[in-house]
Amino acid sequence: PEDTLVCGGPCGQRYIARVAKVSKMAGDNVRRALCHNRTRVSMSDAPLIIDASPGSTGTRSLARALAAIGLKVLHCTYTVTPTDKKGGAVVNNAGGRLEKSSLADLFRARANTRVDNCHAYYEGFSFHHGFEPYDAVMDAPFAEAWYDIFLAHPNSKVIFTDRDEKSWAERRLSHSSASLPYLHPCAHRRAAAWDDVGGPEPVAELFAANREFIQCVVPEDRFLYMSVYEQQTPREFWDRLIGFVGRDSSSGYVGQHCGQPRDFRLSCT
């Protein structure tokens, strides 16, 4: 919708206000992420799948599930692709290739410790370009720029892999390079960032605010909410996922995926 281009519309205004209550820096970052000039956004017709969730929400498992369905997935700096015979997935470190691609500036934005320089990377990035080799993208830095990618891909769909925000915050503390869970968290990475907002409970509130914004701004027919931490039958999980990405459900995707290592598979009981 057109009003989403102006600071994210009403959903964005609520998001900015909620985040700013937790941290002024987070509020300033989200406001700049949503309110910078988007009048010249270029578009791509590609039907990209975007996982808007931060890491530690089951993104690695989902990446392998999507690969079993036949999608080419970029999970952080790793490509996850289907195999020809055994099913499952092949995982390759694409870091070197990404450094030479147009996506490299998203990684540079995330690593930059100067707020203005970080935002400059985001604001100068052509979000309609660079994703052509992939059917789906997830985890950092894509989850931190999911909204920009979404606006530049009008045929895209968004998945949110959820987790209880308090347990997520406690788990994420163990990741030395984890950013805070909101759009364009410039210069707001652990450990200083977590100290800045006051620890796991305020971070959990940022996670909840981010989830609320995603659920508010993405149209229902382009959104899939999932939680790998909730009980569900294998068939229920796979029917929802396959239906959402628009693939044929007649093949043996479940059997292929369930041959993966235990830590990287979903709904196989």
Side-chain angles (χ1 to χ4, degrees), residues 185-204:
C186 286
H188 224 183
R189 297 173 69 185
R190 190 189 183 269
W194 290 66
D195 292 340
D196 171 61
V197 301
E201 288 191 8
V203 171

Side-chain angles (χ1 to χ4, degrees), residues 136-159:
V137 293
M138 55 186 59
D139 212 318
F142 312 109
E144 297 161 4
W146 78 268
Y147 185 62
D148 308 85
I149 303 169
F150 172 73
L151 291 180
H153 292 78
N155 294 322
S156 64
K157 293 183 177 181
V158 175
I159 298 176

Side-chain angles (χ1 to χ4, degrees), residues 165-242:
E165 55 264 28
K166 291 183 179 179
S167 67
W168 178 86
E170 292 169 357
R171 175 70 179 86
R172 201 63 175 165
L173 272 171
S174 64
H175 289 254
S176 60
S177 62
S179 299
L180 291 177
Y182 64 82
L183 285 175
H184 299 196
C186 286
H188 224 183
R189 297 173 69 185
R190 190 189 183 269
W194 290 66
D195 292 340
D196 171 61
V197 301
E201 288 191 8
V203 171
E205 171 63 10
L206 292 176
F207 183 99
N210 192 51
R211 175 177 58 209
E212 180 185 58
F213 173 66
I214 294 166
Q215 291 176 312
C216 179
V217 79
V218 180
E220 186 175 344
D221 62 344
R222 296 171 61 189
F223 180 69
L224 178 64
Y225 172 92
M226 306 192 77
S227 174
V228 303
Y229 298 91
E230 295 178 359
Q231 287 289 95
Q232 54 191 327
T233 66
R235 179 51 56 193
E236 177 187 27
F237 168 83
W238 286 98
D239 283 350
R240 290 181 66 211
L241 185 62
I242 292 170

Side-chain angles (χ1 to χ4, degrees), residues 25-259:
M25 185 172 182
D28 289 346
N29 276 338
V30 170
R31 183 178 293 105
R32 182 161 175 177
L34 292 179
C35 298
H36 77 83
N37 189 345
R38 298 179 184 274
T39 56
R40 296 183 180 180
V41 174
S42 297
M43 303 291 183
S44 167
D45 292 332
L48 190 67
I49 302 295
I50 309 162
D51 186 349
S53 323
S56 300
T57 56
T59 58
R60 288 188 300 176
S61 299
L62 180 62
R64 286 159 174 78
L66 291 173
I69 296 171
L71 275 64
K72 296 178 181 177
V73 182
L74 181 59
H75 178 273
C76 193
T77 60
Y78 289 84
T79 57
V80 188
T81 56
T83 59
D84 293 330
K85 297 180 179 180
K86 294 182 179 180
V90 175
V91 181
N92 293 303
N93 191 336
R97 186 164 67 253
L98 289 173
E99 288 178 4
K100 300 176 182 179
S101 80
S102 60
L103 299 181
D105 276 351
L106 288 183
F107 291 89
R108 295 189 182 104
R110 187 171 190 267
N112 203 293
T113 58
R114 296 178 63 88
V115 173
D116 286 341
N117 289 351
C118 169
H119 281 292
Y121 274 120
Y122 283 122
E123 292 163 12
F125 189 80
S126 299
F127 283 95
H128 70 290
H129 177 64
F131 299 95
E132 294 84 359
Y134 311 106
D135 301 308
V137 293
M138 55 186 59
D139 212 318
F142 312 109
E144 297 161 4
W146 78 268
Y147 185 62
D148 308 85
I149 303 169
F150 172 73
L151 291 180
H153 292 78
N155 294 322
S156 64
K157 293 183 177 181
V158 175
I159 298 176
F160 186 79
T161 48
D162 200 9
R163 182 175 183 173
D164 174 77
E165 55 264 28
K166 291 183 179 179
S167 67
W168 178 86
E170 292 169 357
R171 175 70 179 86
R172 201 63 175 165
L173 272 171
S174 64
H175 289 254
S176 60
S177 62
S179 299
L180 291 177
Y182 64 82
L183 285 175
H184 299 196
C186 286
H188 224 183
R189 297 173 69 185
R190 190 189 183 269
W194 290 66
D195 292 340
D196 171 61
V197 301
E201 288 191 8
V203 171
E205 171 63 10
L206 292 176
F207 183 99
N210 192 51
R211 175 177 58 209
E212 180 185 58
F213 173 66
I214 294 166
Q215 291 176 312
C216 179
V217 79
V218 180
E220 186 175 344
D221 62 344
R222 296 171 61 189
F223 180 69
L224 178 64
Y225 172 92
M226 306 192 77
S227 174
V228 303
Y229 298 91
E230 295 178 359
Q231 287 289 95
Q232 54 191 327
T233 66
R235 179 51 56 193
E236 177 187 27
F237 168 83
W238 286 98
D239 283 350
R240 290 181 66 211
L241 185 62
I242 292 170
F244 183 72
V245 301
R247 294 297 174 114
D248 181 6
S249 62
S250 62
S251 299
Y253 299 126
V254 177
Q256 293 177 2
H257 178 73
C258 291

